[in-house]
Amino acid sequence: MLPPYDDAHVVHVKNPDGTVSTQTVALFHQLRCLDILEKAYLEEGSHRTSQLATHCLNYIRQSIMCQTDMTNEPQTESRTDNGRESLCRDWEGVYREAERNHEAYGRILGY
């Protein structure tokens, strides 16, 4: 299940000076960008690229480059198969904590 993409993908962080800053979790930003790119491709066609889609392509490129998996993957004629089990992070825990944070600060910030 993906979180809603309005302001629920943000978290609020209390700074040392007592102010609150609004931030986004990179996981949610990446998933939102994939959703935007899918819609741009399906609804607009690949020949039209919005500024938001351009931002998302660059953001996903940066995400991949900064967290590069350097594992060699066997190549066949029709597909690439990494041939190994992948270890993924517990994204459900991230969702739960982001939702808890959003609800808590929503009460404080009045939304």
Side-chain angles (χ1 to χ4, degrees):
M1 181 176 101
L2 298 178
Y5 290 132
D6 49 16
D7 52 331
H9 72 284
V10 300
V11 293
H12 305 283
V13 178
K14 189 171 184 179
N15 299 313
D17 65 1
T19 61
V20 175
S21 63
T22 302
Q23 301 180 14
T24 188
V25 178
L27 166 69
F28 298 162
H29 192 174
Q30 292 162 349
L31 291 173
R32 173 133 171 80
C33 273
L34 285 175
D35 189 49
I36 287 167
L37 292 171
E38 178 184 37
K39 287 179 180 170
Y41 178 76
L42 293 175
E43 294 173 9
E44 299 177 20
S46 59
H47 62 284
R48 290 188 225 159
T49 306
S50 68
Q51 286 184 325
L52 187 55
T54 300
H55 156 79
C56 284
L57 283 170
N58 189 51
Y59 181 74
I60 299 235
R61 179 192 61 80
Q62 288 175 345
S63 296
I64 292 168
M65 296 301 293
C66 292
Q67 298 177 17
T68 301
D69 180 349
M70 295 297 292
T71 305
N72 290 332
E73 298 177 332
Q75 193 76 33
T76 65
E77 288 182 23
S78 61
R79 63 186 176 95
T80 299
D81 180 6
N82 68 11
R84 62 183 169 83
E85 288 188 30
S86 296
L87 177 63
C88 295
R89 292 185 170 92
D90 178 11
W91 51 266
E92 289 182 14
V94 175
Y95 285 166
R96 282 192 304 274
E97 182 57 25
E99 186 176 292
R100 186 208 59 78
N101 177 278
H102 182 72
E103 289 172 4
Y105 278 95
R107 287 190 297 274
I108 293 168
L109 300 173
Y111 59 85

